[in-house]
Amino acid sequence: MALLSTQTGIHLTQNSAAFDWSSTTPLSDVRRAVEDTFWNCCKDFRLISSRGFVPLENVRVSSDDLSFVEELPIVPEPLLRFGLIGTLRAGGVLGDVQTEDIVTILERSKKTRTPVQLQQLLMYLAKKARANTVNEGEIRSVLNATVASDEEVEPTQIIAMNEIKEYINPDKLPPEMPVPPSTIPFIYTKTLSKNDTHALGFRELDPLKWLQWLVESSRATGQLTSEQNIETNPAFASKVLKVLSKNWSGISQESKTRIVELLEDRTIIPTKQGMKKPSETYFSSVKLFADLPVIVSLPNVKEEFLTTLGVRKTLEIGVVFDRLMTGSAQLWSHVDLIKYLASVWDDVPTRDRERLKITPVCPAEPMEGKPSQQRYRISDLYEPNDSLRRLGLPILQWPGDYSIRSKEAKLLSTLGLRDAPNYIDLVNIISTAGQSTNSSLQEFSLRYFIENSQSKGYNNARIANVRTPPFLPVQGSEGKLSTPADCFTNERVAVLGFDLLRSDLHTYAVLFGVQTDPPVDRCIQRLTKKPPKTKRQAREMFGYMTSRIGAITNQHIDVLGSASIVPINDLKEAVDKEGGRVRHLPPRMCFLGDGGELASMFDFVDFGPEAELFLLRCGSKQEPTISDIALLLTQQPAKSLHVWGQDSYLEVLIKVANAWSSIKTNKSLVERMQQAPFLLATKVESLDEASVLEDNDERSGLKKWHLAKASEVVIVDEIGNYNLFKTHVLAAPQQDETLERMYEQLGVPGLSSLVEERQKIVGLEPGNRPDQRTALKLQSIIRERARLFLYDYPKESLHPNRDSKWLEKNLTVQTVRSIVIKTSLKGTDIKCVQEKTATLRQESNRTWTICITEKYNMAQVSRLLARLLLVRPKPRDSMVLTEFLRSELSGLQEAGINVERILRQKEKEARVAQEMHKSQLEQEQRARDEREALQRQMEAQGDRNTDPDIDVDVQDSMPGDFPGARDGKEHEADNTQEPASLFDGFKKMLGLDSGRKPQSAMPDDERLVYDHDDGPQAPPKKPRQLPDDDLQGPAMTAQQLYDLTQQAVQSTRPHISSVVKSEPAMHKVEEMHTTCDAKPGMNVVYTGEASKLRVFLDQEVIQGSDATAENFMASNQEGLEYFASVLHDCAAIYKLPQDSMHIFYDHESRTKAFNKSNSIFFNYRMFESDHLAMVKRGDKDLPVRVWATTTAHELAHNIEGDHNVRFQNVFQGLIESHIPNIADIARAKPPPSTQPPPKQQPQAALPQKQPVPPAPPRQIAPKPSPTSAFKGAFKR
C-alpha cells in the first residue's frame, strides 16, 4: 500500500468516506458497533500524506506552506473536506502541526536548509508570532535546530541560526558590507518587517559592535580579505568612515567615546602621505607646509566627525617648535608665534593648548641691565608694567607698546600671563623686604597691597586663614613681623601677650585680614596657660575677658570654671606685689567680696566690679550656697566646728536641714553626707569621765558633743528608752524637728528600732485575772479624752487612719497583777529590767491592749497612748495627754477646751448611726413582707410563671446569686427550653437544675449570697432584668478570655491574718443599667483548722464566751472535715493551692461565700444545711458541682469586683473550660473508709438556726440545650 501513488491514495481515501459512521436508527448501538469493529480490524492504519502512506500517528494537518520541512508528512489539502479526516481530527487521532514536530524534523534531518527554505521558515515563524500562536521559547527552539547553507557563494556559507543574534538595518548599514558571524545576512530578512525581526528575537546590529568586529578582524588572518581591511585599504576605510559619519548624530555619547578610542591609534585616514592616524593628519585648509599629511578621498564625511577623531585644523605645536623656533636658522620669534596662535586659536586642539601653557617659550626683560637667554613659561611672567618692575617681578619681554586690548594680550592672558602678584607672592615680597631691612621696598609693597587690595582681591575675607610668613609690622617692636592671624588692633589684648598691629596700619586692618580681638578660644588658652599672679594682672585680664563675655559659650565655661586661674594669697593679704605665696583656684571654688564671718572658711576675692562679671560667668558666687556649706561640712567638719563653735555649727546644721529639699537632689553630695563624720550628736557621760563639760547636770550626768557618721547616731524617738541608754548612744540634737528629719533621711535610725523589749505580765490568764473595773474605767476615760486631745491636733503628726473612732474599736484596757519589762540594746550586752505599771501589747494587725496594774501611773499610760497615736511623740505630748486623762471635764472646760461641742458632736454621730441602723432594719422588714406576700400569691396560683404580669426576677437577690435560685430553692425547669440566663445555663450543664429540692427549707432572709473583696452586706432589691441585648459588654476574644481565666486562678492566695473584717457597701453597676452591687459586712476570726483548711468563726458567735470557739471546733469536727474534703475537690478542679480555700461560720447571714483580697471563704452553715447528709452517705456528686460553681463565682471576682458583663464573661469562661474536670471529680466515688467514722460530739449550744433535715432528692436528668457547646458533657 505504501507503493501506491499519491493520487491513487487520495482516491482510496476518498472512497473510505463511506465509513463516516453516521447515526443509525432505530438503534444507535449499530453505529457504535460498526465503528468499534472497524477500528478493531485496523491494527496498522496508514494514511496518505505528502510523504506517501505513513502510519496515522506520524501524519499532521496544516494549511500553511511547510516546504522548509518537506520531511514532515502532511495530509493533502483535497482530503481535508472528507468526513473520515474530520472524524480522525475530532477523535484526537489526527492533529495539527506543532512546533515540536518542526524541531524534531530539523534535529533529525541530515540536510541543511536552502536559502529559500530558511527564508520560508523565518516568514512562517513571523506569521505565527503575529498570531500569538507560538511563544518566544518555541521560536528559539526552532531557530536553534535550524542550519542553512548557501552553496552559490564561494566558499559555501553555513548559517547556524543558534548563533544569530542581530540583523542588518539597510538604512544605517549597506547590505554589501561585511558583518559579524552573529548577524544574519540581509537577503534572509529583507521580506520581514522590523517588528517581525524583533519577534524572532533578533536585535539591530549596532555600529559600535560592527566597528569593533572590523577593527579586530583587520589584524586577524582569514576573517576578512585585504579589500576589507580598514587599516590598509583606503577605499574600504573611506566607506567605513562614511557609514560612521552618516550615523554619528544618532550614536550615544558613550558609544562615540568608544569609537574614538578604537580609531585614534589606528591608520584609518587616507592622506597624500598614505594611511595615517587621525592625530597625524590635517584638513586641506592647513597649507603652511607642502609636505603635511592632508586628508584625501573622504567625500561626504562630516568635518565634525573627523575633528572628533583628531584630524587637525592647525599646525601641531611641536612642529612649530621644531621647524620655526629652534635650530640654527630660527625663522620665528616668540612674538611671531603669539601672533600666529592668536589668529587660529579657536582651532587649536586642547592638547596643544595645554602643552603651550607648560612650555617655556618667552624670555623676560633683563634684570639690573643683564640680558639673559632663559625662556619662561608664560604663566611665570608678568605684564610690562612699572609698578610690577619696582616690586622686582619677572616681566615679559615685548618690543614696542603692549596693549592689553589686543588679541595677542588676550591670548597671553589666557595662557597665564599675570597682571599682578597673588596674595602669597606679594606677602613674600613684603616679608623679605622687612627681614632684610629694605624699608623702601617694604613700604612700597605695603602701599601697593593697600591700593590694589580691592581690585586684585587681596581683601578677600579668606586671606586671614591662609598660612603666610610673618609680614605685618607690630607695635612697639622694631623689626618684628607678625601674621594677620597673630596680631590685633585692640590694645587690651596685650595683657594676654598678643601682638598689636602697627598703629598707622589700624585703618587698613580689614584689608590685611587683621581682627580687632583674638578668638575667645585663644584668649582662654592664654589665660589658663599663664594665669595672673598679682591682683593688678587679675583685674586687667579678667576685665578684658568681661568685654568678651558675649562670645564665651557654655563649653568655655566648663573649661574656665574648673581651671585654676584665680590668684589667692594664703595669708589673706593683698596680692599686689610679685613673689608672695600665691596659689590659684578655679572660679567655681571662689566667692566674691570680703566674706565677713565666712571669710575664715571660704576663699573670697575682690578684683573690682568689671572683673567680677567675668568670674560670675565662670561660676563664682557672691556667697556660698547651702550646698556649698554642706559640702564644706563633709570635707572639714572638725575645722568648721573649731572655727564656728558648737552653737554656730548647730545653727548651720539647722540651715542645711531647712534646705534639704534642694540638697537631696544632689546625689553625690548626699552620699558624702551619709559617709562623712559631720553630724553633731551628744552623749551623756559621768562627771569623772568628762574632759570638756557642757550642759552640766548633776543628776543626769554631763553632755559631751561629738562629730559622728550617720551610722553612729540615733534619733531620740522615745524618751523613756533614751533615759535608759543615754550614756551608751550618740543622740541627735532634739532642739529642731527639721534637723531630726534630715538625720533620718541620711540613714540615722530611731532609738526604738535598736531597743528590744520583753514583757513579763502576770494576770493575763483567764483564771488569774484581777478585777477589771479599773481597766473599764480607764478605757472609758481614754475613749472620751482621746477625742478631746486629737480634736485640733495636726493631721501630719498622727498615724494614718488612727483617730478616736479607731481607738474605740481597736484599743482595750486590761488590768493585770504585775508588769516587768526587760529592755536591751541590740548588738550589745546592755540590759535594763524595770517594773512598770502600764505596758502596750499588740494583739493583731489592728488591735491593741494596754495592760495596767491596779495602781498605775497615768504618765506611763500617756506615753503609751502617744506612741500609739502619734508618728513621733515628744515629751510634751505625753505631758499634755496626761493632763487630759487626769483632769475632769470641767477643768478642761475652764482651761479653754470646748468640751461640750466635741461631746455633742460625738452624740450626734451616735444618734445618726442609730437612726441609719433602724431605717435599715425597717427596709429589711418591708422587703421580707413583700416577698412573703408575693410567694403566697404565686403559691395560690399554683405556678409562679403562669401569670405574664409577674416577673420572677422582681425578688430581692444579691449580685452573685444565681438567677433562678429563689429563696434558697432550686426549681424545676422545662428541659425543652433554652436556659433563661447565663447561670441557668450553667446549672443545666453542671446537672444542678435536676429538679432536686434543697436539703432544708431556709428562711427568706437566709438566701444564698455571694460576696467579693470586702465581705457580705445586706442585699438590695434586684431590679427587673433587662433584655439580653442591653447587657452586652465589649467584645472579648477567646485568647483574652483564656488569659483572664488563667489570671483568676493564678492570683488566688491564702489569707494569713487571723481576722477578716470589712464594712458593708453598696453601689450601682452602670454597665448593667439598673443592677446594684452590694457588699455585706463581715467580722470573723481564726478559730482552728480542718484538713489543713483554716476555719474562721463570727465574732458575734463567740462574743463574751471564751469557750465557744473551742466547743464549736470540737462539736463540728466531723462536719468540717466533710466540708473540707468537698473544698479540696473544688481546689483540684481549678488547680488552686489548698491553703487558698477557707471555711467560715456565722449564724444568720445570707452569704454563701465571699472573696477577701483574692482569698476565698465558704460558709459551713450552708453546707451543713444542704449537703452534709449527702456527703455522709457517700454521695458527693451534687455537692461538688454546687460548690465548684461557687468557687468559679469567687474566682471571677479576682478579675472583676462588680457583677457586670466582664464578670459574667470570666465566670462563664471558668465554668466552660473546667467542665470536664468538674464532671470527672464529681462522679468519682470516694474509696471505702478503712476506719470507722469519727465519733459524733454533742452539738454545742450555739446561737444559730438549726436546719431542717433534708428531704429525699428527686433525680431528674437535665436535657442540655441544643445550642450549647458542651452538649451532653454532664449527663448524670
Side-chain angles (χ1 to χ4, degrees):
M1 208 174 162
L3 299 177
L4 296 176
S5 65
T6 302
Q7 293 298 328
T8 304
I10 293 174
H11 174 73
L12 293 176
T13 304
Q14 290 175 345
N15 292 334
S16 67
F19 298 98
D20 192 16
W21 304 295
S22 300
S23 299
T24 59
T25 56
L27 294 177
S28 60
D29 295 342
V30 175
R31 173 188 176 278
R32 287 194 295 271
V34 172
E35 182 179 358
D36 293 343
T37 303
F38 175 82
W39 289 114
N40 288 334
C41 295
C42 297
K43 301 299 182 182
D44 185 17
F45 188 84
R46 292 176 177 266
L47 186 66
I48 188 65
S49 69
S50 60
R51 303 295 294 175
F53 279 95
V54 295
L56 179 62
E57 62 269 14
N58 295 334
V59 182
R60 297 293 183 267
V61 176
S62 176
S63 60
D64 298 314
D65 182 10
L66 299 180
S67 58
F68 55 88
V69 281
E70 54 189 12
E71 299 91 334
L72 181 63
I74 302 298
V75 175
E77 193 275 334
L79 294 182
L80 294 179
R81 60 180 180 272
F82 292 106
L84 177 62
I85 301 303
T87 301
L88 294 176
R89 296 186 68 180
V93 181
L94 183 62
D96 295 335
V97 174
Q98 302 295 327
T99 305
E100 293 81 357
D101 301 328
I102 299 176
V103 173
T104 301
I105 295 299
L106 293 175
E107 290 178 346
R108 293 180 179 177
S109 176
K110 296 181 180 181
K111 296 173 55 180
T112 60
R113 305 297 106 178
T114 65
V116 176
Q117 289 178 325
L118 178 58
Q119 191 173 12
Q120 292 174 344
L121 172 63
L122 295 178
M123 293 176 62
Y124 171 79
L125 292 176
K127 176 182 177 182
K128 293 296 183 180
R130 288 194 300 271
N132 292 326
T133 57
V134 294
N135 55 38
E136 183 178 351
E138 293 174 333
I139 293 174
R140 178 48 54 187
S141 64
V142 173
L143 293 178
N144 289 341
T146 304
V147 178
S149 62
D150 188 359
E151 298 180 353
E152 298 180 358
V153 180
E154 292 294 339
T156 302
Q157 184 180 13
I158 303 297
I159 302 175
M161 294 302 296
N162 61 337
E163 298 177 357
I164 300 300
K165 307 297 180 185
E166 298 92 9
Y167 71 95
I168 298 174
N169 184 350
D171 295 335
K172 296 182 179 181
L173 184 67
E176 65 272 10
M177 296 295 286
V179 294
S182 61
T183 304
I184 188 170
F186 178 71
I187 189 175
Y188 302 112
T189 59
K190 63 181 180 179
T191 59
L192 300 178
S193 66
K194 186 176 182 179
N195 293 335
D196 291 340
T197 53
H198 287 172
L200 296 178
F202 301 148
R203 60 177 179 270
E204 185 178 330
L205 179 61
D206 183 65
L208 175 60
K209 183 176 181 180
W210 173 65
L211 180 63
Q212 285 177 326
W213 176 76
L214 286 178
V215 170
E216 293 171 358
S217 301
S218 63
R219 297 184 180 181
T221 59
Q223 294 192 13
L224 295 175
T225 63
S226 58
E227 289 79 8
Q228 296 174 334
N229 193 317
I230 190 175
E231 295 189 55
T232 60
N233 192 299
F236 184 73
S238 177
K239 292 181 180 180
V240 173
L241 293 175
K242 183 178 180 180
V243 171
L244 295 175
S245 176
K246 176 183 178 181
N247 296 283
W248 189 249
S249 59
I251 298 176
S252 65
Q253 186 60 42
E254 182 179 359
S255 298
K256 289 180 179 179
T257 303
R258 181 59 183 148
I259 290 173
V260 172
E261 292 175 353
L262 286 172
L263 300 180
E264 62 183 356
D265 292 330
R266 300 179 185 274
T267 57
I268 50 96
I269 304 296
T271 69
K272 293 189 297 182
Q273 305 294 332
M275 300 295 289
K276 298 291 183 181
K277 297 178 181 179
S279 60
E280 300 173 347
T281 62
Y282 297 89
F283 283 100
S284 58
S285 59
V286 181
K287 301 177 181 180
L288 196 59
F289 302 106
D291 57 348
L292 293 177
V294 179
I295 61 174
V296 295
S297 304
L298 290 179
N300 301 325
V301 178
K302 298 177 182 179
E303 182 178 309
E304 175 190 2
F305 170 64
L306 293 176
T307 303
T308 305
L309 292 180
V311 178
R312 303 180 60 86
K313 293 182 179 181
T314 61
L315 198 62
E316 202 267 329
I317 197 66
V319 176
V320 175
F321 293 156
D322 293 340
R323 297 192 180 190
L324 300 180
M325 301 186 64
T326 61
S328 56
Q330 294 187 7
L331 302 179
W332 278 11
S333 67
H334 67 281
V335 178
D336 298 326
L337 174 63
I338 296 302
K339 291 181 177 180
Y340 167 74
L341 292 176
S343 64
V344 297
W345 184 250
D346 293 339
D347 296 328
V348 175
T350 302
R351 183 165 52 184
D352 285 354
R353 296 183 182 189
E354 297 300 324
R355 183 178 177 184
L356 188 60
K357 290 180 180 181
I358 63 175
T359 303
V361 295
C362 296
E365 291 182 355
M367 301 292 291
E368 300 178 357
K370 297 179 181 180
S372 174
Q373 299 298 322
Q374 182 182 357
R375 293 182 181 272
Y376 298 87
R377 292 181 301 179
I378 298 176
S379 59
D380 294 335
L381 298 176
Y382 293 84
E383 293 179 354
N385 183 283
D386 290 339
S387 297
L388 299 179
R389 290 188 181 96
R390 291 191 61 182
L391 293 175
L393 299 172
I395 305 300
L396 172 68
Q397 186 179 24
W398 191 266
D401 294 333
Y402 181 81
S403 176
I404 59 175
R405 294 182 177 85
S406 63
K407 292 195 300 183
E408 291 79 5
K410 294 179 180 178
L411 174 61
L412 288 171
S413 178
T414 303
L415 294 175
L417 185 65
R418 304 168 69 177
D419 61 346
N422 59 27
Y423 174 76
I424 297 297
D425 292 339
L426 184 56
V427 164
N428 288 331
I429 294 173
I430 299 173
S431 177
T432 303
Q435 293 175 3
S436 63
T437 66
N438 188 347
S439 59
S440 61
L441 179 59
Q442 181 185 20
E443 294 302 324
F444 177 79
S445 57
L446 286 172
R447 187 167 61 255
Y448 181 87
F449 187 104
I450 295 170
E451 293 174 353
N452 296 276
S453 178
Q454 185 173 1
S455 60
K456 305 304 181 184
Y458 299 149
N459 64 338
N460 194 309
R462 294 177 297 172
I463 62 178
N465 298 324
V466 177
R467 298 180 63 88
T468 63
F471 72 97
L472 294 175
V474 299
Q475 183 74 27
S477 298
E478 190 68 26
K480 184 178 180 181
L481 303 177
S482 179
T483 63
D486 294 330
C487 65
F488 308 94
T489 61
N490 189 347
E491 294 183 355
R492 298 187 67 182
V493 303
V495 70
L496 294 175
F498 292 102
D499 291 331
L500 292 176
L501 181 65
R502 200 173 68 188
S503 58
D504 62 314
L505 297 177
H506 282 192
T507 306
Y508 313 108
V510 176
L511 301 180
F512 291 110
V514 175
Q515 303 295 324
T516 303
D517 294 285
V520 72
D521 291 327
R522 297 183 63 184
C523 295
I524 294 173
Q525 184 180 6
R526 289 285 182 95
L527 179 60
T528 56
K529 187 176 181 180
K530 191 177 180 180
K533 294 182 179 181
T534 66
K535 188 173 183 179
R536 180 177 179 179
Q537 289 179 351
R539 184 183 298 109
E540 293 177 352
M541 288 186 180
F542 297 158
Y544 169 71
M545 293 302 296
T546 298
S547 66
R548 305 296 308 281
I549 202 168
I552 297 177
T553 64
N554 292 334
Q555 288 78 9
H556 296 145
I557 294 302
D558 293 338
V559 176
L560 290 170
S562 58
S564 299
I565 60 175
V566 182
I568 302 293
N569 188 285
D570 284 342
L571 300 179
K572 303 300 178 184
E573 299 175 353
V575 288
D576 289 327
K577 298 182 180 180
E578 298 281 354
R581 290 183 57 193
V582 177
R583 58 190 175 93
H584 291 84
L585 293 179
R588 290 174 180 170
M589 297 179 62
C590 300
F591 303 93
L592 305 178
D594 56 4
E597 297 179 355
L598 297 176
S600 59
M601 295 301 300
F602 295 92
D603 292 303
F604 283 84
V605 294
D606 185 5
F607 300 120
E610 187 179 19
E612 184 178 293
L613 295 177
F614 170 69
L615 293 177
L616 286 174
R617 182 74 174 91
C618 293
S620 297
K621 304 181 182 67
Q622 296 286 0
E623 62 181 14
T625 64
I626 197 67
S627 298
D628 296 328
I629 297 175
L631 180 61
L632 176 67
L633 294 179
T634 61
Q635 293 174 340
Q636 303 178 22
K639 180 180 177 181
S640 301
L641 181 61
H642 175 73
V643 174
W644 290 336
Q646 165 202 314
D647 294 337
S648 297
Y649 192 94
L650 183 59
E651 291 179 1
V652 171
L653 279 179
I654 293 175
K655 290 181 179 179
V656 173
N658 290 330
W660 178 254
S661 59
S662 62
I663 292 177
K664 66 182 181 181
T665 59
N666 190 340
K667 295 184 179 180
S668 61
L669 177 58
V670 172
E671 291 178 358
R672 292 179 65 95
M673 295 174 70
Q674 292 172 340
Q675 302 298 327
F678 82 101
L679 296 179
L680 202 59
T682 61
K683 185 176 182 181
V684 177
E685 299 180 358
S686 60
L687 286 173
D688 55 351
E689 295 177 353
S691 58
V692 180
L693 305 181
E694 296 184 15
D695 297 339
N696 195 345
D697 188 342
E698 294 181 356
R699 294 178 303 164
S700 58
L702 304 172
K703 282 186 179 180
K704 183 178 180 180
W705 292 93
H706 297 266
L707 291 174
K709 300 179 181 178
S711 59
E712 300 170 349
V713 186
V714 297
I715 297 174
V716 180
D717 57 354
E718 211 287 311
I719 192 65
N721 290 332
Y722 174 67
N723 291 331
L724 295 177
F725 301 108
K726 60 185 176 181
T727 60
H728 303 283
V729 296
L730 289 172
Q734 303 178 48
Q735 288 88 336
D736 190 86
E737 292 185 3
T738 305
L739 184 61
E740 285 189 359
R741 284 195 291 270
M742 186 188 75
Y743 274 50
E744 184 178 5
Q745 292 291 329
L746 292 176
V748 177
L751 180 59
S752 59
S753 65
L754 304 178
V755 173
E756 292 181 343
E757 286 189 357
R758 294 186 180 180
Q759 301 173 346
K760 183 177 180 181
I761 304 175
V762 179
L764 285 176
E765 302 82 3
N768 192 25
R769 295 178 181 173
D771 188 4
Q772 299 296 318
R773 283 179 292 183
T774 302
L776 294 175
K777 181 179 179 181
L778 178 59
Q779 180 169 329
S780 176
I781 293 174
I782 290 174
R783 291 180 177 179
E784 182 180 66
R785 308 301 166 83
R787 176 182 291 270
L788 302 177
F789 173 74
L790 298 174
Y791 185 72
D792 289 327
Y793 211 88
K795 293 184 179 180
E796 60 272 11
S797 299
L798 299 177
H799 273 295
N801 302 323
R802 291 188 183 180
D803 53 11
S804 58
K805 294 182 180 180
W806 177 88
L807 204 64
E808 293 177 1
K809 294 182 180 180
N810 297 283
L811 179 66
T812 59
V813 182
Q814 183 174 351
T815 305
V816 297
R817 299 190 181 279
S818 65
I819 301 172
V820 177
I821 306 298
K822 183 178 181 181
T823 310
S824 60
L825 196 61
K826 292 181 181 179
T828 67
D829 296 332
I830 304 171
K831 301 178 181 178
C832 183
V833 179
Q834 292 178 300
E835 290 187 1
K836 295 282 188 178
T837 62
T839 188
L840 186 64
R841 294 188 60 205
Q842 185 174 4
E843 305 295 343
S844 65
N845 289 338
R846 300 184 62 181
T847 59
W848 300 77
T849 300
I850 294 181
C851 298
I852 60 173
T853 61
E854 193 67 32
K855 298 180 179 180
Y856 62 88
N857 186 330
M858 188 64 76
Q860 294 182 13
V861 175
S862 299
R863 283 199 296 271
L864 298 176
L865 283 175
R867 189 197 311 173
L868 192 62
L869 295 174
L870 305 180
V871 176
R872 193 187 301 277
K874 297 296 181 183
R876 62 177 179 273
D877 299 322
S878 301
M879 294 174 59
V880 173
L881 186 54
T882 301
E883 291 301 321
F884 270 85
L885 296 177
R886 286 176 177 174
S887 303
E888 297 294 336
L889 292 178
S890 59
L892 295 176
Q893 184 75 29
E894 293 176 357
I897 299 175
N898 196 344
V899 176
E900 294 183 359
R901 185 181 67 178
I902 299 174
L903 295 181
R904 280 199 304 270
Q905 181 179 354
K906 178 180 178 182
E907 293 175 358
K908 181 179 179 181
E909 293 175 355
R911 186 166 58 255
V912 170
Q914 183 177 5
E915 292 176 356
M916 290 179 61
H917 181 66
K918 181 179 179 182
S919 174
Q920 183 178 1
L921 293 177
E922 293 176 354
Q923 292 179 2
E924 292 177 356
Q925 183 61 39
R926 285 195 299 270
R928 284 195 295 269
D929 294 343
E930 291 175 0
R931 287 198 301 270
E932 291 175 359
L934 178 62
Q935 186 173 359
R936 286 192 298 270
Q937 180 181 359
M938 294 174 63
E939 290 175 354
Q941 293 175 351
D943 187 354
R944 64 185 301 177
N945 291 328
T946 56
D947 188 351
D949 295 330
I950 299 179
D951 191 342
V952 299
D953 287 332
V954 298
Q955 303 181 57
D956 290 351
S957 68
M958 281 290 293
D961 189 11
F962 291 121
R966 298 290 180 258
D967 298 326
K969 301 177 182 180
E970 297 175 4
H971 299 279
E972 298 180 14
D974 186 0
N975 293 335
T976 62
Q977 296 179 355
E978 291 291 317
S981 68
L982 169 69
F983 304 119
D984 289 339
F986 288 151
K987 286 182 180 182
K988 289 189 176 183
M989 287 191 290
L990 296 172
L992 303 180
D993 195 17
S994 57
R996 297 189 181 199
K997 293 183 178 180
Q999 299 299 314
S1000 63
M1002 187 176 295
D1004 291 344
D1005 58 351
E1006 293 189 20
R1007 289 183 302 105
L1008 306 187
V1009 176
Y1010 294 87
D1011 182 41
H1012 53 90
D1013 193 30
D1014 284 329
Q1017 171 185 321
K1021 289 186 178 181
K1022 182 177 180 180
R1024 193 174 189 88
Q1025 187 172 351
L1026 295 175
D1028 290 343
D1029 293 341
D1030 294 333
L1031 298 178
Q1032 296 300 320
M1036 185 180 297
T1037 65
Q1039 183 61 41
Q1040 290 174 335
L1041 182 59
Y1042 174 78
D1043 293 340
L1044 289 177
T1045 57
Q1046 293 299 308
Q1047 180 182 349
V1049 173
Q1050 296 171 3
S1051 61
T1052 308
R1053 59 185 181 185
H1055 185 78
I1056 60 176
S1057 176
S1058 60
V1059 179
V1060 180
K1061 188 174 182 180
S1062 62
E1063 298 295 333
M1066 180 182 300
H1067 68 279
K1068 185 175 181 180
V1069 182
E1070 296 295 337
E1071 185 179 350
M1072 303 297 291
H1073 303 287
T1074 59
T1075 301
C1076 291
D1077 245 9
K1079 298 181 180 179
M1082 184 60 63
N1083 187 7
V1084 296
V1085 297
Y1086 173 72
T1087 303
E1089 291 186 357
S1091 295
K1092 299 183 179 181
L1093 297 188
R1094 304 185 76 194
V1095 181
F1096 292 75
L1097 193 59
D1098 191 353
Q1099 283 275 27
E1100 296 182 6
V1101 177
I1102 63 175
Q1103 188 73 28
S1105 176
D1106 295 335
T1108 300
E1110 299 175 359
N1111 293 341
F1112 173 82
M1113 294 298 298
S1115 59
N1116 293 277
Q1117 188 65 36
E1118 180 185 19
L1120 291 171
E1121 296 290 338
Y1122 281 122
F1123 191 23
S1125 67
V1126 172
L1127 295 182
H1128 283 312
D1129 291 341
C1130 295
I1133 289 171
Y1134 300 100
K1135 297 182 175 58
L1136 298 173
Q1138 299 289 342
D1139 55 358
S1140 64
M1141 314 286 277
H1142 309 79
I1143 301 173
F1144 77 97
Y1145 179 89
D1146 61 17
H1147 61 75
E1148 64 177 359
S1149 78
R1150 288 160 292 192
T1151 302
K1152 186 173 184 178
F1154 67 92
N1155 184 318
K1156 173 65 177 177
S1157 301
N1158 294 14
S1159 300
I1160 307 177
F1161 295 77
F1162 302 88
N1163 197 337
Y1164 170 70
R1165 184 170 58 84
M1166 302 289 185
F1167 171 83
E1168 183 184 42
S1169 173
D1170 293 340
H1171 303 119
L1172 179 58
M1174 298 176 63
V1175 177
K1176 284 184 177 180
R1177 295 195 306 267
D1179 183 9
K1180 293 175 61 176
D1181 190 346
L1182 180 61
V1184 169
R1185 296 174 187 269
V1186 172
W1187 291 98
T1189 307
T1190 303
T1191 304
H1193 183 108
E1194 298 306 327
L1195 286 175
H1197 280 309
N1198 287 348
I1199 303 301
E1200 182 59 50
D1202 297 329
H1203 294 93
N1204 51 23
V1205 174
R1206 187 167 182 256
F1207 165 83
Q1208 293 183 5
N1209 290 336
V1210 178
F1211 176 53
Q1212 180 180 1
L1214 286 166
I1215 291 293
E1216 292 179 352
S1217 59
H1218 292 87
I1219 280 180
N1221 295 350
I1222 298 175
D1224 294 339
I1225 294 179
R1227 287 197 296 264
K1229 297 295 183 180
S1233 176
T1234 58
Q1235 298 180 359
K1239 186 176 181 180
Q1240 178 72 25
Q1241 299 290 338
Q1243 191 74 10
L1246 296 177
Q1248 62 179 348
K1249 299 182 179 181
Q1250 298 296 332
V1252 179
R1258 267 193 315 168
Q1259 304 293 336
I1260 299 178
K1263 182 178 180 181
S1265 170
T1267 61
S1268 173
F1270 305 97
K1271 182 167 58 179
F1274 274 77
K1275 290 184 179 180
R1276 296 295 301 269

